[in-house]
């Protein structure tokens, strides 16, 4: 039974031990340690928050760069497209001009040929008339009257003309 | 084997509370001698550690921080709530006092300062006074006493509930004290018994010695490891129960 009856001396020693331990730990030993623990917890929290901020900022910048890049690309495409259009219209213009010039050249040539042909025709007509009178005179051996002469020429020419038409 | 009673007598005598000097008047006991050493160790350890704390922890500062953080968060805050940090100096004092005494008692020839009721009852009574004082300070004396009976209890039942609650509160220092004392005392009895076995069978060699001596040594080692666990566990239990009592006193008015 004496086992569970506290010894008075031991009780006083323990009261003193508690008092000394509590005061020293409470006033001197624990505060620097708990302060450091809180400081570290704060520091870690701050670092995490800062890291998060940095991440958000980086993401924002990346997004911005992406937008800028897309804009630049669209602009470049526009410039190329514009260049292509200008080139195409220039090409069409040059072609039209060339075609026009060729057309003009051609029609000029056709007109010249036509005029040449007409003058040649007229010349030929005169020569054929004289020649055929001379040939006819030689064959007939006689001279025919002026009226006969002209009737013959017209008849002959009509024949030649119809030949020419065929 | 006939030596066993003598050895047991000797063991029980060794583990009983003995004055260091046989004269009259004030004398420290065997347990108090080791208790004072443990207290000095706590003081030296924490005062040294508190000078060594750095933002990047290392060495002794790191060890002290781990212990402080454990008591502050895993006991104070987890049991009492965010306001539990306020009671850390008290709970920390209890935890490290009990822990250092329990652990020192594991190193022969030291005795655990907590292996005597003179220590455990004194600390349990301190806990009893402190947690009730916290409750009274928060609610006032009569409201705190009144909070022993839940609100809305019929009058004919309230006196009975009051009596039961009062007894359960008065028993707390007793159970708290006995639990710690019995764990430490019983552990040392067990260690002593196996040491005595080994001693007897070495002194009187017999065929049985071949089996019993190695077995006793193995048990001795296993029990030492087990006692380390008990030392930490009992410090934790004593402290967490104190936290539970403080938490209960703080919440007394709210139900």
């Amino acid at each position: 039974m004496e086992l569970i009856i506290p010894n008075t001396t031991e009780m006083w020693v323990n009261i003193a031990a508690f008092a000394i331990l509590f005061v020293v730990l409470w006033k001197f030993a624990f505060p620097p340690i708990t302060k450091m623990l809180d400081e570290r917890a704060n520091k870690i929290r701050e670092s995490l928050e800062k890291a998060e901020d940095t991440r958000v900022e980086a993401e924002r910048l990346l997004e911005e760069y992406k937008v800028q890049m897309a804009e630049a690309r669209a602009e470049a495409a526009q410039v190329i497209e514009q260049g292509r259009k200008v080139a195409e219209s220039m090409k069409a213009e040059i072609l039209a001009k060339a075609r026009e010039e060729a057309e003009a050249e051609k029609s000029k040539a056709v007109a010249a040929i036509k005029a040449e042909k007409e003058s040649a025709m007229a010349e030929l007509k005169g020569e054929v008339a004289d020649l055929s009178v001379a040939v006819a005179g030689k064959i007939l051996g006689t001279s025919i009257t002026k009226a006969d002469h002209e009737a013959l020429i017209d008849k002959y020419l009509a024949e030649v003309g119809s030949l020419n038409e065929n | 084997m006939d030596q066993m009673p003598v050895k047991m007598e000797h063991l029980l005598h060794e583990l009983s509370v003995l004055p260091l000097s046989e004269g009259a008047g004030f004398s420290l006991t065997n347990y108090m001698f080791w208790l004072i050493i443990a207290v000095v160790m706590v003081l030296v350890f924490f005062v040294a550690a508190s000078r060594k704390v750095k933002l990047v922890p290392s060495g002794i500062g790191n060890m002290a921080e781990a212990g402080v953080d454990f008591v502050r968060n895993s006991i104070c805050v987890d049991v009492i709530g965010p306001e539990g940090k306020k009671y850390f100096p008290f709970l920390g004092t209890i935890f490290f006092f009990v822990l250092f005494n329990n652990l020192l008692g594991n190193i022969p020839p030291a005795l655990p300062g907590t292996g005597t009721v003179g220590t455990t009852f004194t600390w349990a009574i301190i806990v009893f006074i402190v947690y009730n004082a916290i409750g009274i300070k928060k609610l006032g004396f009569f409201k705190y006493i009144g909070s022993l009976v839940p609100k809305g209890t019929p009058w004919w039942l309230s006196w009975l509930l009051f009596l039961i609650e009062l007894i359960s509160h008065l028993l707390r220092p007793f159970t708290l004290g006995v639990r710690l004392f019995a764990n430490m005392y019983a552990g040392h009895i067990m260690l002593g018994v196996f040491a005595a076995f080994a001693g007897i069978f070495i002194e009187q060699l017999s065929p049985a010695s071949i089996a019993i001596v190695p077995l006793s040594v193995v048990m001795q080692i296993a029990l030492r490891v087990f006692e380390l666990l008990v030392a930490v566990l009992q410090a934790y239990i004593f402290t967490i129960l104190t936290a539970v009592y403080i938490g209960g006193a703080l919440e007394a008015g709210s139900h």
Side-chain angles (χ1 to χ4, degrees):
Chain A
M1 200 54 203
E2 64 174 278
L3 203 62
I4 54 166
I5 293 170
N7 174 305
T8 330
T9 309
E10 288 194 340
M11 293 186 84
W12 284 116
V13 171
N14 271 286
I15 289 167
F18 169 75
I20 293 167
L21 210 50
F22 180 63
V23 170
V24 173
L25 291 180
W26 175 38
K27 288 291 177 197
F28 303 104
F30 285 157
I33 298 173
T34 52
K35 195 174 146 239
M36 183 53 72
L37 284 172
D38 290 340
E39 227 169 78
R40 188 176 308 126
N42 278 334
K43 180 119 187 159
I44 290 168
R45 192 179 308 115
E46 270 167 25
S47 301
L48 285 176
E49 273 166 14
K50 213 169 161 190
E52 177 64 19
D53 285 352
T54 312
R55 197 185 61 79
V56 168
E57 173 71 11
E59 246 164 42
R60 195 185 62 74
L61 280 177
L62 180 66
E63 205 54 42
E64 212 177 287
Y65 287 147
K66 271 187 190 158
V67 169
Q68 278 179 4
M69 193 65 124
E71 269 171 17
R73 205 167 279 153
E75 214 170 299
Q78 210 182 329
V79 167
I80 290 168
E81 179 64 16
Q82 219 164 5
R84 205 176 57 79
K85 268 187 192 153
V86 168
E88 238 161 49
S89 71
M90 268 170 87
K91 177 184 155 196
E93 211 174 287
I94 289 165
L95 273 177
K97 211 171 165 193
R99 199 168 287 140
E100 215 172 80
E101 269 171 19
E103 205 68 44
E105 209 66 37
K106 187 181 155 196
S107 56
K108 223 195 262 173
V110 166
I113 288 165
K114 209 175 174 184
E116 204 69 34
K117 185 183 162 191
E118 262 164 26
S119 74
M121 258 327 214
E123 211 175 307
L124 198 63
K125 211 174 172 180
E127 248 171 69
V128 166
D130 289 345
L131 204 61
S132 35
V133 169
V135 170
K138 261 185 192 158
I139 293 168
L140 294 175
T142 61
S143 65
I144 50 176
T145 66
K146 189 134 176 111
D148 292 340
H149 191 183
E150 272 177 5
L152 268 172
I153 288 166
D154 280 343
K155 189 179 166 243
Y156 189 70
L157 273 180
E159 265 168 32
V160 172
S162 73
L163 270 176
N164 201 31
E165 269 167 21
N166 287 335
Chain B
M1 235 10 239
D2 48 346
Q3 280 188 357
M4 201 63 192
V6 184
K7 291 249 178 196
M8 284 295 100
E9 193 90 8
H10 180 71
L11 175 65
L12 289 177
H13 179 72
E14 256 186 359
L15 290 177
S16 61
V17 177
L18 300 168
L20 287 179
S21 61
E22 288 296 335
F26 185 84
S27 165
L28 284 178
T29 64
N30 47 353
Y31 280 97
M32 290 308 101
F33 174 73
W34 296 108
L35 180 131
I36 289 166
I37 290 176
V39 168
V40 170
M41 283 169 69
V42 176
L43 290 174
V44 169
F45 177 75
F46 276 100
V47 171
S50 69
R51 303 274 170 276
K52 289 263 163 65
V53 287
K54 286 169 294 200
L55 199 58
V56 179
S58 65
I60 186 179
N62 194 14
M63 266 168 75
E65 273 184 24
V68 166
D69 193 49
F70 171 73
V71 178
R72 209 157 71 121
N73 283 318
S74 300
I75 297 180
C76 297
V77 174
D78 284 1
V79 174
I80 302 174
E83 58 184 326
K85 277 189 181 174
K86 212 166 76 186
Y87 304 104
F88 165 70
F90 179 63
L91 290 162
T93 302
I94 290 176
F95 181 77
F96 294 113
F97 170 81
V98 177
L99 183 69
F100 273 63
N101 271 295
N102 289 357
L103 288 176
L104 182 65
N106 250 332
I107 304 167
L111 291 168
T114 42
T116 163
V117 285
T119 298
T120 60
F121 280 173
T122 307
W123 284 73
I125 290 165
I126 291 170
V127 167
F128 181 79
I129 293 168
V130 168
Y131 88 75
N132 282 305
I134 287 168
I136 290 167
K137 194 183 159 208
K138 192 178 175 205
L139 293 173
F141 182 77
F142 291 106
K143 232 183 137 198
Y144 179 68
I145 296 295
S147 75
L148 290 183
V149 182
K151 278 187 192 115
T153 312
W155 63 269
W156 49 270
L157 202 57
S158 60
W159 68 270
L160 185 65
L161 273 177
F162 181 79
L163 209 64
I164 292 169
E165 280 293 312
L166 192 67
I167 290 168
S168 99
H169 273 267
L170 289 174
L171 278 176
R172 279 175 178 182
F174 186 74
T175 56
L176 205 54
V178 167
R179 182 183 300 106
L180 179 56
F181 158 71
N183 269 286
M184 300 322 292
Y185 187 77
H188 280 73
I189 295 266
M190 290 287 281
L191 287 168
V193 166
F194 282 100
F197 264 142
I200 290 167
F201 281 88
I202 286 169
E203 279 167 26
Q204 302 177 344
L205 279 175
S206 67
S209 299
I210 298 165
I212 289 176
V213 172
L215 197 69
S216 297
V217 172
V218 167
M219 278 307 289
Q220 187 80 10
I221 293 165
L223 279 172
R224 285 279 169 201
V225 176
F226 182 67
E227 282 302 303
L228 277 181
L229 177 76
V230 170
V232 178
L233 195 65
Q234 287 304 319
Y236 177 64
I237 289 172
F238 197 98
T239 314
I240 208 162
L241 282 172
T242 305
V244 168
Y245 297 157
I246 291 174
L250 286 171
E251 273 179 19
S254 59
H255 55 76

